[in-house]
């Protein structure tokens, strides 16, 4: 592997300082003082069942609210530069019943015609046939991993999961994250597909852990696994 590459596909953009405490990594703006990451995306679905809030534009777009051209590795690196720490105990599989652990973040979405809103305002829950508002969500930076020499989120394009996914960079620790049957686009609240969207990820002080796991909690770097796909 050559310096500046992940596997054979991703070139790591340089980190540029744009102001005191503010940096740019490709299309991602990093505000260390404000504890935020800001980057462009676009609406991918304005109706239907969801498993992801955000995927890469070449990822699982048939089940994601948003898509972005920001590479998964770039987002992972930006999270680490912001000071976020991932999990040392990744979930065993997609849809695992356990809640993911790591460091908590908030996610806000906005478009030219819609002011910034928490991400859950763009979704609904379907429970026993009834539509219900999504309560405030708990998003967790778990960090993705390297599996068999490849950065897993890069291979899958999975970035922010609504339905538990150990490959994703950010996972859903809210109640119901273990099911793929209840998360839907909130029709009428989401702009049409293709509408540009600004995504803001904000660091929340403190880690979210069910119990102390001990050892290193590195985010990316030590979470290197030589297992095959866990799908």
């Amino acid at each position: 592997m050559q310096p500046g590459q992940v596997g054979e596909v991703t070139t790591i953009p340089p980190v540029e300082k744009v102001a005191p405490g503010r940096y740019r990594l490709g299309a991602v703006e990093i505000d260390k003082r404000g504890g935020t990451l800001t980057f462009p995306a676009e609406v991918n679905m304005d109706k239907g069942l969801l498993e992801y809030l955000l995927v890469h534009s070449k990822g699982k777009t048939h089940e994601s609210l948003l898509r972005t051209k920001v590479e998964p590795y770039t987002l992972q690196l930006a999270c680490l530069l912001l000071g976020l720490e991932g999990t040392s105990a990744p979930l065993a599989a997609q849809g695992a019943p356990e809640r993911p652990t790591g460091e908590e973040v908030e996610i806000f979405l906005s478009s030219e015609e819609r002011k910034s809103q928490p991400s859950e305002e763009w979704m609904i829950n379907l429970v026993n046939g009834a539509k219900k508002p999504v309560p405030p969500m708990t998003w967790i930076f778990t960090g993705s991993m390297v599996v068999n020499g490849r950065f897993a989120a890069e291979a899958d394009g999975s970035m922010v999961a609504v339905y538990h996914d150990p490959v994703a960079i950010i996972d859903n620790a809210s109640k119901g994250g273990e099911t793929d049957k209840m998360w839907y686009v909130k029709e009428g609240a989401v702009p049409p597909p293709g509408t540009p969207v600004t995504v803001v990820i904000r660091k929340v002080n403190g880690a979210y852990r069910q119990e102390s796991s001990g050892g290193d909690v590195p985010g990316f770097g030590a979470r290197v696994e030589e297992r095959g796909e866990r799908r």
Side-chain angles (χ1 to χ4, degrees), residues 42-168:
E42 61 184 27
V43 175
N44 180 65
M45 294 169 56
D46 60 358
K47 60 183 177 181
L49 183 64
L50 298 172
E51 291 191 11
Y52 296 91
L53 179 75
L54 176 72
V55 299
H56 189 265
S57 57
K58 295 181 181 178
K60 300 174 183 178
T61 53
H62 63 289
E63 52 196 6
S64 179
L65 178 62
L66 306 174
R67 60 181 181 257
T68 183
K69 293 182 179 179
V70 173
E71 296 290 344
Y73 185 81
T74 299
L75 179 60
Q76 170 109 346
L77 183 55
C79 288
L80 296 175
L81 291 172
L82 192 63
L84 294 170
E85 292 186 338
T87 184
S88 60
L91 299 180
Q94 191 174 27
E98 300 83 11
R99 290 187 178 185
T101 58
E103 192 158 355
E104 185 176 353
V105 297
E106 296 174 322
I107 303 177
F108 299 90
L109 309 175
S110 64
S111 67
E112 185 174 344
E113 297 182 354
R114 286 172 169 79
K115 65 180 182 180
S116 180
Q117 295 176 302
S119 55
E120 57 265 25
E121 296 291 334
W122 291 34
M123 295 183 286
I124 61 165
N125 285 153
L126 188 64
V127 181
N128 296 324
K131 295 180 180 179
K132 296 185 177 182
V134 177
M137 295 186 69
T138 302
W139 295 109
I140 300 297
F141 170 70
T142 55
S144 190
M145 64 197 75
V146 172
V147 179
N148 296 328
R150 296 196 67 188
F151 183 55
E154 195 78 37
D156 285 10
S158 304
M159 300 175 79
V160 181
V162 173
Y163 171 54
H164 290 171
D165 186 352
V167 168

Side-chain angles (χ1 to χ4, degrees), residues 214-231:
D216 296 330
V217 185
F220 177 76
R223 290 188 62 198
V224 177
E225 305 193 6
E226 295 302 329
R227 287 177 283 179
E229 292 293 327
R230 300 181 298 172
R231 311 301 288 169

